[in-house]
Amino acid sequence: QHGGYYGYISDMHQAVEYEYMLSDIFISWGWDELPKYKRFKDLKVVKLPSPWLSERKKYWKKVVPSFSSRKQYDVLYMPGGNVRFPRSLRGSSGPRIDLIHKMSLEIKDAVKSLVENDIKVLLKPYNYQSMVLMSNMFSSLSKKYDEKKYKVIKKIDKGFDEELLKHSNLILWNQPGTGFLECISAQIPTMVFWTRLSTEEEGWARDIFEKLEKVGIVHSNTTTLVKEIKIFKKYPKKWVSDPERVSTINEFCFQYARTDKNWEKKWKDFFLSIN
């Protein structure tokens, strides 16, 4: 496994055809459930901690800025991108050009709901192509709102870094993808405004996502999202340390974003076991 979505997002057809089909053993970040295809009966899934997530967790522990003070923006919003020409074997899951209008409206609705509820938003487009494809939407929002309330980052590169976190205490996604897994496993305050427009969870993952919704991490509408962000703004330390929320996060990470301080030993033991 080399990124998010594996094990919990349905119809990841590229993984099914290109990765699972070519493997005798597939290493996951904590899950072992596969789509019910007869051709997978001999595929073994091995659950190991993610080296990347484990190292990123160590990194963020050293550099994550304190959220004890108010930052310039309340939310760093990082919606997913879109593509003009989707890859082959995409399936129904993932970015598609036929969804671009609805995706633009979704982002616009999120920003409008946040800003008009006194929540300041710093938005980082996924990449340059996505910014161009949705340029009308980004332009209309920039014209409507003052930069103190809403601002789009001009420098476009993938991911986020320490500098971005200096501007906001909370990261908001529109998909529970790789960035979300990095945040939640590294204990960076994060939420997801996820309407299931282009992705949805597998049936076996619904229970844990319902739990994430219950503790205010995953939201399918702007009403609950705004309410939860206001709670976080007022009591950030209390929000982060809430026992039920912490327990749910740990349960989710153990299933889909497993980390370990000594991940290399677990991997060495695995490789020695198959010699």
Side-chain angles (χ1 to χ4, degrees), residues 5 8-17 35 37 81-83 86-100 102-103 175 194-202 206:
Y5 301 111
Y8 59 90
I9 294 296
S10 67
D11 200 20
M12 283 189 60
H13 220 60
Q14 283 182 294
V16 169
E17 295 294 339
Y37 296 148
N82 211 314
V83 293
R87 296 174 183 173
S88 61
L89 298 176
R90 168 61 71 181
S92 64
S93 177
R96 308 193 309 272
I97 194 67
D98 60 300
L99 294 176
I100 195 165
K102 289 183 178 179
M103 183 179 289
Q175 304 279 348
W194 188 29
T195 64
R196 278 74 169 180
L197 175 63
S198 62
T199 55
E200 64 179 6
E201 62 268 60
E202 290 279 13
R206 284 179 189 145

Side-chain angles (χ1 to χ4, degrees), residues 1-13 15-16 20 26 28-35 45 50 52-53 92-94 173-185 190 192 194 196 198-210 212-213 217-218 249 251-258:
Q1 179 174 349
H2 61 272
Y5 301 111
Y6 288 78
Y8 59 90
I9 294 296
S10 67
D11 200 20
M12 283 189 60
H13 220 60
V16 169
Y20 302 158
F26 189 85
S28 82
W29 291 358
W31 54 270
D32 60 6
E33 191 88 30
L34 287 166
V45 178
S50 163
W52 179 71
L53 285 179
S92 64
S93 177
W173 309 89
N174 70 341
Q175 304 279 348
T178 308
F180 171 69
L181 297 189
E182 181 178 357
C183 284
I184 203 167
S185 64
T190 189
V192 188
W194 188 29
R196 278 74 169 180
S198 62
T199 55
E200 64 179 6
E201 62 268 60
E202 290 279 13
W204 59 75
R206 284 179 189 145
D207 180 61
I208 188 60
F209 276 100
E210 286 176 0
L212 288 174
E213 288 190 26
I217 292 176
V218 173
I249 287 172
E251 181 182 351
F252 176 82
C253 288
F254 190 72
Q255 291 182 50
Y256 299 111
R258 193 171 298 186

Side-chain angles (χ1 to χ4, degrees), residues 67 70 73-75 110-121 169-170 172 190-191 215-217 219 221-240 245:
F67 49 78
R70 187 68 63 88
Y73 293 93
D74 300 308
V75 171
V111 171
K112 179 178 181 292
S113 297
L114 295 177
V115 173
E116 294 183 2
N117 278 279
D118 197 31
I119 297 171
K120 296 187 286 293
V121 179
N169 286 324
L170 177 70
L172 175 65
T190 189
M191 295 182 194
V215 298
I217 292 176
H219 302 269
N221 63 78
T222 56
T223 302
T224 62
L225 177 66
V226 167
K227 181 180 178 181
E228 199 66 34
I229 292 176
K230 285 185 174 182
I231 294 172
F232 174 82
K233 278 181 63 178
K234 194 171 184 179
Y235 307 108
K237 288 186 177 180
K238 185 178 179 181
W239 192 91
V240 169
R245 186 171 293 110

Side-chain angles (χ1 to χ4, degrees), residues 131-144:
M131 193 168 186
V132 171
L133 289 173
M134 294 185 280
S135 59
N136 290 339
M137 179 270 296
F138 286 119
S139 177
S140 67
L141 286 173
S142 295
K143 290 177 181 177
K144 186 174 183 178

